[in-house]
Amino acid sequence: MKWFTAWRRRPWAGYAVVLVALATIGVVYAGFSPRTAQATDSSASADDLAHGKQLFNQNCASCHGPNAEGTRDAKGNAIAPSLIGVGAAAVNFQVSTGRMPAMNPGAEMPRKTPVPVFNPDTIQVQYPPNATEEQKKALRQAAVDKNLNDIQAYVESLGNGPSVPSADQVAPANDKVGLGGTLFRTNCAQCHNFAGQGGALTYGKYAPPLLQSTPTQIYEAMITGPEAMPVFNDTTITPEQKRAIIAYIVQTRSEANPGGNGLGRIGPVAEGLAGWLVGIGLLVLAAMWITAKKPKKLKKQHD
Amino acid sequence: MSTAELPKAVDGPLTFIDDRLGSTTFMKRNLKKVFPDHWSFMLGEIALYSFIILLLTGTFLTLWFKPSMTDVIYHGSYVKLDGVKMSEAYQSTLNITFDVRGGLLMRQIHHWAAILFMAAIMAHMLRVFFTGAYRKPRELNWLIGLGLFTLGLLEGLFGYSLPDDALSGAGLRITAGVIQSIPLVGSYIMFFLFGGEYPGQDIIPRFFTLHILLIPGIILALVTAHMMIMWHQKHTAMPSKDQAETHVVGYPFYPVFMAKTGAYFLFTFGVISLLATFAQINPIWMFGPYDPAAISAGSQPDFYMGFLEGSLRMMPNWETNLWGYTIPWNVLIPALVPLGLVMTGAGLFPFVERWVTGDQRYHHVNDRPRNAPTRTAIGMTGVVFYGVLWLAGGNDIIAYKFDVSLYATTWFFRVAIFAGPILAFIITKRICLGLQRSDAATMAHGYESGTIKMMPNGEFIEVHKEPEEEQKAVILSKEEPKPSLPARDENGIPAPATKGLLGHVRARLNRAWHIDNITVEEGHGHEAEGADRELSKGH
């Protein structure tokens, strides 16, 4: 062990040990930390990345900058944020809900029909001759999935972030819907309303309704925190609890209103409006009708 | 009918009762009571009939409701709440909703009836105010009405709190906060009411007793007094040809009015049932059980408490610290000032009006709103003040549904709460005076008949016709103001009523009350055509 004793007395030995220790801890942490499973192909080929970059340049670079570093206006206010490190899940959420590419940047990016390259209904695909409707649909879906995967892979290649959850991860935990409801009321309802109808936020922003969001999009929103939404990471709300919340949302929006028309499920404001307009309105009409009626006997005397 | 002999089986008991109670004369006198006909006179009846429906459905609900805040774990038929911790009150409301036959319908009828009860009281009060029906001798009934409105607010608040769902709890939390904001005694009253720290275990059983026993009892007593006074004083009537201060024109209670009002009960019940069947109200199973950590976007009270919610929402966040005590103006002012202004203003108004106008006469014929422009304008001031507060209570829903900035709505309401009532006063008064002018023109030149006539010289005129007797009587129901007292008589002695500061204020107010009055009098109606020709030449 003589060489070791000699080696460790060298002036740079201390630094080397620190470096080695840091590297070891880093590698061990990376090995043990709960990585969300990779749905996208992690070994994206160079071709895919190039295709992703091409899509990025066509659809995103005008605001987010050619290297996704974000852009600022003359006063230094951000026009579009940097996308380095946002991860695949953020890209998937923003693009699949149609929020990105943004058409009309404002306080809130609304959900809208995705642009054709990311839209299974409108994407242009070369169909083989005599393909059936179903085959065409599958081809369009496959093309969209490829585009999404490639652009996600490209953004992911700029810096790691949360990846797109697998179908198992977002499957509604229907046996835990009670827990999901409790968590939803504590964490989500204050902005999205008790039935996921959405609500107003400050400065023209709003929490969108959750009526069209797919389980994947709901999950992605929780882990990436789009726009004003906070990030609910896996320590705040565990993956299992996220599935319970998804179950609650999915069940609530498909649930019938046992009491009749739900009046938009926005609470007492709509009820008051209905009470005045329908209730008092109909009764005033009834009162006018009743008081306009003259009894025959007395009418004769008067006429 | 009256000549037919009654069967002995009917006649006997009737005679027995009559001999002891003297009911025949009572019935004879009262069944003939005359009620004037006007659609707006039915608004109060909506409230009366909703109240009856509230009593009946409320009784049904008490059979299953458990006013207890004991924690339980739900394992009932509503699967989405399975395994969730909740209070027994909330659980029993879920059971009424999903397990008791007809329970949800009863709950919805109860709640819709409550909405209509309060809406009808408000509409009825506005009718009474704008037609001046509160004037002597009916001031007491006006005050009783205000009391009923206040009790209705309280009763609604308590009922809203009972199911112990998320919205109930939010309402209770605000109630507790408002009570605590009262300087010096607030904390003590809050602890007394809640039996300790918020929320404690006592508040729901206590509110239950108040909601089903005390307040409905007082409301019932006051409604009875309200009706008996109305019966005794007779109903006011709208101005018409045959109507006079000395007698009422209308239909006798039996059989005409009884049939009408009976039918109207069925209409009210019908409309409430219609709403309860087809429009869901207060879906507590979606709000979830009360949990201090949970709140939903769009958490509002029922509409009648909305004006308090609105005043709270638009209030700037002001607080003062004095010797270690906080005076929370941000809660105290919105909770007390608007309610105080509306209620005190409404309560004092009949007496202030009597003092200002010096009108001590009995009034049984209503004013047309245009003929009392100052009163109508003050009324609209109140309506706009209340309306702005009310809208502000739903500012987040407005911001969300109409896509405007939430803070923009807050600032709009903060300005509108001061500017709106002033504008409303000016605009309403001008509209009233414009209508008076139109009445004066109708009396002077007749009304525009729509018939165009060509004169021999080729000139076209529109024929103006003299109004019908009925229309004339309605227009001429306007009372011209008496000339206000001269401040000093010819000897320079000030009139007794205008002496002192109060007298001075009174004289000023009296002048302001009648200012800009347009005199409406019977003109040269028979020369309508000739007068009109001159008029059209002028153009």
Side-chain angles (χ1 to χ4, degrees):
Chain A
M1 295 293 275
K2 224 172 184 177
W3 64 270
F4 186 76
T5 315
W7 186 83
R8 70 189 177 113
R9 286 171 200 271
R10 301 286 165 105
W12 45 264
Y15 298 108
V17 168
V18 171
L19 266 179
V20 169
L22 279 177
T24 315
I25 290 170
V27 169
V28 170
Y29 178 76
F32 280 94
S33 70
R35 290 274 305 173
T36 38
Q38 209 75 336
T40 52
D41 198 355
S42 54
S43 57
S45 74
D47 281 354
D48 292 344
L49 279 180
H51 183 230
K53 182 164 174 53
Q54 190 197 351
L55 284 168
F56 181 87
N57 288 340
Q58 285 164 356
N59 294 293
C60 323
S62 60
C63 296
H64 289 287
N67 301 311
E69 74 278 28
T71 49
R72 289 174 183 281
D73 64 10
K75 288 177 192 161
N77 298 320
I79 295 173
S82 161
L83 297 186
I84 297 165
V86 298
V91 178
N92 187 275
F93 175 83
Q94 298 286 354
V95 175
S96 71
T97 60
R99 287 184 166 80
M100 292 290 148
M103 298 294 172
N104 185 13
E108 181 81 24
M109 302 299 173
R111 184 188 187 96
K112 59 181 184 295
T113 315
V115 290
V117 279
F118 300 117
N119 187 340
D121 296 328
T122 51
I123 191 168
Q124 297 293 322
V125 181
Q126 292 286 330
Y127 300 119
N130 35 358
T132 64
E133 264 317 300
E134 265 175 36
Q135 284 168 331
K136 285 181 179 175
K137 200 176 165 192
L139 278 171
R140 289 199 302 268
Q141 186 64 51
V144 165
D145 288 347
K146 163 132 182 63
N147 285 349
L148 272 173
N149 280 338
D150 290 353
I151 197 166
Q152 282 160 206
Y154 171 69
V155 174
E156 180 74 22
S157 75
L158 303 171
N160 281 327
S163 38
V164 177
S166 67
D168 287 346
Q169 275 178 300
V170 302
N174 284 324
D175 52 328
K176 293 206 177 81
V177 68
L179 171 73
T182 307
L183 289 166
F184 184 86
R185 286 187 289 274
T186 319
N187 296 290
C188 320
Q190 53 200 315
C191 300
H192 290 287
N193 141 311
F194 58 88
Q197 297 287 336
L201 299 175
T202 53
Y203 299 113
K205 288 180 283 198
Y206 59 86
L210 305 177
L211 306 177
Q212 293 170 292
S213 322
T214 62
T216 304
Q217 288 164 353
I218 298 170
Y219 195 99
E220 286 167 348
M222 285 191 274
I223 56 175
T224 63
E227 310 205 30
M229 183 161 162
V231 174
F232 294 94
N233 62 27
D234 287 351
T235 38
T236 320
I237 294 181
T238 65
E240 198 54 33
Q241 291 173 334
K242 287 191 172 95
R243 289 180 52 212
I245 291 177
I246 292 170
Y248 178 79
I249 295 171
V250 171
Q251 285 193 22
T252 299
R253 65 192 182 189
S254 60
E255 182 185 1
N257 289 311
N261 187 304
L263 302 181
R265 291 181 167 181
I266 53 167
V269 172
E271 295 163 4
L273 204 64
W276 273 95
L277 293 184
V278 180
I280 296 292
L282 285 178
L283 283 172
V284 163
L285 290 179
M288 287 175 161
W289 187 54
I290 279 189
T291 49
K293 287 264 162 194
K294 286 201 164 84
K296 274 183 193 142
K297 217 174 167 186
L298 291 161
K299 210 176 179 172
K300 265 180 204 156
Q301 286 170 6
H302 274 277
D303 291 345
Chain B
M1 204 159 60
S2 52
T3 50
E5 285 277 318
L6 281 170
K8 209 172 176 193
V10 180
D11 195 38
L14 283 182
T15 314
F16 177 87
I17 293 169
D18 194 33
D19 287 350
R20 279 150 191 84
L21 299 176
S23 42
T24 307
T25 31
F26 176 82
M27 295 293 253
K28 254 187 190 161
R29 213 178 55 230
N30 283 290
L31 285 180
K32 284 192 298 189
K33 197 94 180 172
V34 162
F35 281 86
D37 242 354
H38 191 270
W39 67 267
S40 67
F41 296 166
M42 308 297 268
L43 293 171
E45 290 184 29
I46 304 176
L48 177 68
Y49 297 140
S50 308
F51 183 63
I52 293 171
I53 294 165
L54 280 168
L55 289 179
L56 295 175
T57 50
T59 308
F60 179 90
L61 294 175
T62 54
L63 301 180
W64 286 278
F65 180 70
K66 292 196 189 80
S68 148
M69 292 172 91
T70 311
D71 281 340
V72 290
I73 305 290
Y74 183 73
H75 292 295
S77 48
Y78 187 66
V79 181
K80 264 175 68 199
L81 285 171
D82 191 55
V84 173
K85 196 174 90 167
M86 58 183 64
S87 68
E88 243 187 314
Y90 184 74
Q91 188 190 35
S92 63
T93 315
L94 285 179
N95 290 341
I96 291 173
T97 305
F98 294 109
D99 302 309
V100 174
R101 192 175 295 266
L104 177 60
L105 182 66
M106 282 295 175
R107 268 195 59 223
Q108 299 209 136
I109 291 180
H110 192 71
H111 207 128
W112 279 118
I115 299 274
L116 281 197
F117 177 67
M118 293 307 289
I121 289 182
M122 286 165 67
H124 175 60
M125 278 168 67
L126 289 175
R127 196 280 295 171
V128 168
F129 184 87
F130 284 116
T131 58
Y134 57 81
R135 288 175 298 173
K136 191 179 172 184
R138 294 185 177 77
E139 298 101 326
L140 284 180
N141 238 9
W142 170 253
L143 291 180
I144 291 177
L146 276 181
L148 281 168
F149 178 64
T150 318
L151 287 170
L153 286 180
L154 267 182
E155 180 73 349
L157 171 75
F158 292 167
Y160 181 86
S161 307
L162 287 182
D164 205 21
D165 58 274
L167 281 188
S168 298
L172 270 180
R173 178 74 265 196
I174 296 179
T175 312
V178 164
I179 297 172
Q180 277 178 313
S181 77
I182 303 168
L184 301 177
V185 292
S187 310
Y188 297 96
I189 298 180
M190 203 288 269
F191 268 63
F192 175 70
L193 182 66
F194 283 76
E197 269 294 356
Y198 172 86
Q201 292 284 320
D202 296 336
I203 193 66
I204 284 183
R206 286 179 184 180
F207 273 11
F208 181 67
T209 311
L210 296 175
H211 180 78
I212 67 157
L213 184 70
L214 183 68
I215 297 183
I218 303 175
I219 290 182
L220 195 59
L222 285 181
V223 165
T224 313
H226 199 70
M227 302 294 292
M228 284 172 75
I229 292 175
M230 185 274 290
W231 195 277
H232 172 73
Q233 292 180 332
K234 300 172 192 69
H235 203 285
T236 55
M238 290 298 181
S240 73
K241 189 162 59 105
D242 308 316
Q243 189 61 58
E245 291 289 359
T246 46
H247 60 262
V248 191
V249 176
Y251 297 114
F253 183 75
Y254 179 85
V256 179
F257 189 71
M258 206 170 77
K260 288 192 179 197
T261 195
Y264 203 59
F265 170 75
L266 298 177
F267 267 114
T268 310
F269 190 35
V271 167
I272 290 173
S273 305
L274 202 70
L275 278 168
T277 312
F278 293 111
Q280 179 165 287
I281 190 163
N282 204 23
I284 54 135
W285 57 91
M286 276 206 254
F287 300 152
Y290 179 55
D291 168 1
I295 189 76
S296 165
S299 289
Q300 261 94 9
D302 275 352
F303 86 85
Y304 40 86
M305 298 298 273
F307 74 114
L308 288 172
E309 174 84 13
S311 66
L312 201 58
R313 286 184 182 208
M314 70 166 78
M315 180 71 195
N317 191 19
W318 294 343
E319 280 185 357
T320 312
N321 264 291
L322 283 180
W323 305 290
Y325 294 95
T326 305
I327 303 176
W329 303 112
N330 47 8
V331 179
L332 196 60
I333 291 178
L336 300 182
V337 172
L339 190 66
L341 277 177
V342 171
M343 288 300 186
T344 318
L348 290 180
F349 196 80
F351 305 98
V352 173
E353 180 186 325
R354 201 152 54 92
W355 180 69
V356 168
T357 57
D359 185 359
Q360 305 292 342
R361 294 166 302 161
Y362 284 87
H363 290 278
H364 298 296
V365 180
N366 289 324
D367 269 339
R368 300 171 82 204
R370 68 184 66 174
N371 290 339
T374 311
R375 177 201 300 143
T376 308
I378 290 174
M380 282 312 292
T381 306
V383 168
V384 169
F385 180 72
Y386 184 96
V388 169
L389 290 170
W390 193 9
L391 278 176
N395 66 347
D396 58 334
I397 303 283
I398 292 171
Y400 183 50
K401 292 287 170 191
F402 296 102
D403 212 5
V404 287
S405 166
L406 185 72
Y407 288 168
T409 65
T410 305
W411 276 105
F412 172 79
F413 290 128
R414 281 177 180 171
V415 175
I417 193 69
F418 295 105
I422 298 171
L423 276 177
F425 185 90
I426 297 168
I427 293 171
T428 311
K429 189 149 184 202
R430 291 298 122 187
I431 291 175
C432 288
L433 293 172
L435 289 169
Q436 284 191 9
R437 264 187 209 102
S438 142
D439 282 353
T442 306
M443 290 314 293
H445 312 295
Y447 68 92
E448 296 171 356
S449 64
T451 313
I452 307 292
K453 202 164 153 186
M454 188 177 163
M455 305 303 282
N457 59 1
E459 180 195 3
F460 288 96
I461 60 159
E462 182 177 8
V463 177
H464 279 55
K465 282 189 180 155
E466 199 184 345
E468 301 284 316
E469 282 302 309
E470 175 60 38
Q471 196 192 351
K472 249 184 182 172
V474 171
I475 291 178
L476 288 175
S477 72
K478 177 172 187 288
E479 269 193 339
E480 295 309 328
K482 291 177 290 180
S484 40
L485 294 170
R488 287 167 190 283
D489 65 11
E490 60 272 23
N491 299 322
I493 311 291
T498 61
K499 265 196 242 171
L501 181 66
L502 266 182
H504 189 71
V505 170
R506 185 180 166 189
R508 277 290 183 85
L509 287 176
N510 184 288
R511 219 170 309 141
W513 186 271
H514 293 303
I515 207 160
D516 294 340
N517 175 60
I518 313 288
T519 308
V520 178
E521 56 191 7
E522 194 142 18
H524 33 277
H526 297 293
E527 305 162 44
E529 251 176 60
D532 183 70
R533 207 162 352 150
E534 279 163 36
L535 200 74
S536 55
K537 269 180 193 162
H539 280 291

